[in-house]
Amino acid sequence: MDATTSAPAQRRRPTIRDVAAAAGVSRGTVSRVINGGHWVSPEALAAVQEAIRTTGYSMNQHARSLVTGRSNSVAFLLTEPQHLLFEDPTFSILLRGAAQALAGRSMPLLLMVAGTPQEQSQVLSYVGAGHVDGVLLISSHAGSPVLAELVRQGIPTIACGIPLGFEGQLGYVAADDLGGGRRMVRHLLDRGRTRIATITGPLDTPGGRMRLEGYRAELGDAYDESLVAHGDYTREGGAAGMRDLLARRPDLDAVFVASDLMAAGAIPVLRESGRTVPDDVAVGGFDDSGLAATLDPPLTTLRQPFERISTEMVRLLLEVVEGEEPAAITLPTSLVVRAST
């Protein structure tokens, strides 16, 4: 038997013509359904959707991009060193949530990390060339050249957290960092703590700045600069901040750490100094991204609604892509009390 005749014939890929024939509508109607369903009756829409299912038709995204002028994809842009993507669980939670929100719209999510000047230049060239429809900007810093260039080029962008310096130009979704900081300090005061220190996040980030403002506002006249150390949202930064505080204020009896990852670095330093948590020093964090519950002791912290943050960022970004004005949303945090306080 001839091998060329024994092989099964390759199945032809279904086309718009096939979908139109199966649905009993014109190819133009099918095209309108594929590109958003505008000016299509509910009956025709249902017929086309059923025909797409039964024929197994799959859109050629490249062809669609040529017609619409869009890439039909979105960038998840992290402006931090690459290792933090794996060390800080908040980023992976946000990434997963954004991917899930876009999956329902059949839009891929492109992960981009721009922690170095070279990476930033490459990313800006890529997004500026129109390879993505918009950018979900994660962990922006005040004065960031990436932030400024995205605004200058008019690339649809939604920031995670208030985009410092561009509040009126970019939309964003933020947790209530200031209110969360106040709530943690109030919790520690209510537990009888009187010498409450803090390890801040970077002060060029909205979380670092606003959580410190919340801490300061709740303490009022009791605020003491000697009880403030500055960190960088890393485990090592939390450890260094804790050592600095203990050297300056060995009498501290509580510390509000501006991220759970930094708290994970601070607690071992307290233990090494002979102090117990929470008997000698109570410790509170911020995030509740999964790490807090695994610490020893389990960490009292402020929970950010990460899944909702991702979902709202995607929604706002797609609205901007469609030409709507950028919007801003601030979501509440919630106190999760565990054994560290």
Side-chain angles (χ1 to χ4, degrees), residues 16-182:
I16 285 181
R17 186 188 300 271
D18 298 320
V19 174
V25 299
S26 69
R27 281 176 287 170
T29 298
V30 176
S31 180
R32 286 193 293 276
V33 171
I34 291 172
N35 288 285
H38 303 294
W39 310 108
V40 178
S41 70
E43 295 79 10
L45 177 62
V48 171
Q49 290 174 335
E50 176 63 16
I52 289 174
R53 187 187 68 79
T54 56
T55 61
Y57 173 76
S58 177
M59 280 186 296
N60 184 323
Q61 294 293 355
H62 176 66
R64 182 181 179 186
S65 295
L66 294 176
V67 173
T68 63
R70 294 179 182 169
S71 68
N72 199 45
S73 62
V74 167
F76 181 96
L77 176 54
L78 177 64
T79 56
E80 297 289 353
Q82 291 186 13
H83 68 89
L84 284 184
L85 177 63
F86 306 100
E87 292 179 14
D88 192 331
T90 62
F91 298 136
S92 60
I93 294 173
L94 289 168
L95 177 63
R96 182 175 67 244
Q100 290 173 344
L102 286 164
R105 303 171 185 264
S106 299
M107 296 181 71
L109 182 66
L110 280 64
L111 171 61
M112 299 181 178
V113 180
T116 68
Q118 181 180 11
E119 290 170 346
Q120 292 170 1
S121 177
Q122 292 170 343
V123 164
L124 288 169
S125 294
Y126 187 86
V127 300
H131 294 301
V132 296
D133 292 333
V135 173
L136 301 170
L137 182 62
I138 311 300
S139 189
S140 64
H141 295 255
S144 164
V146 173
L147 187 57
E149 189 63 15
L150 290 171
V151 172
R152 189 190 72 79
Q153 294 190 36
I155 296 170
T157 301
I158 294 294
C160 181
I162 299 171
L164 299 175
F166 295 92
E167 294 89 335
Q169 300 177 64
L170 285 183
Y172 62 86
V173 180
D176 183 6
D177 293 305
L178 190 151
R182 294 196 70 147

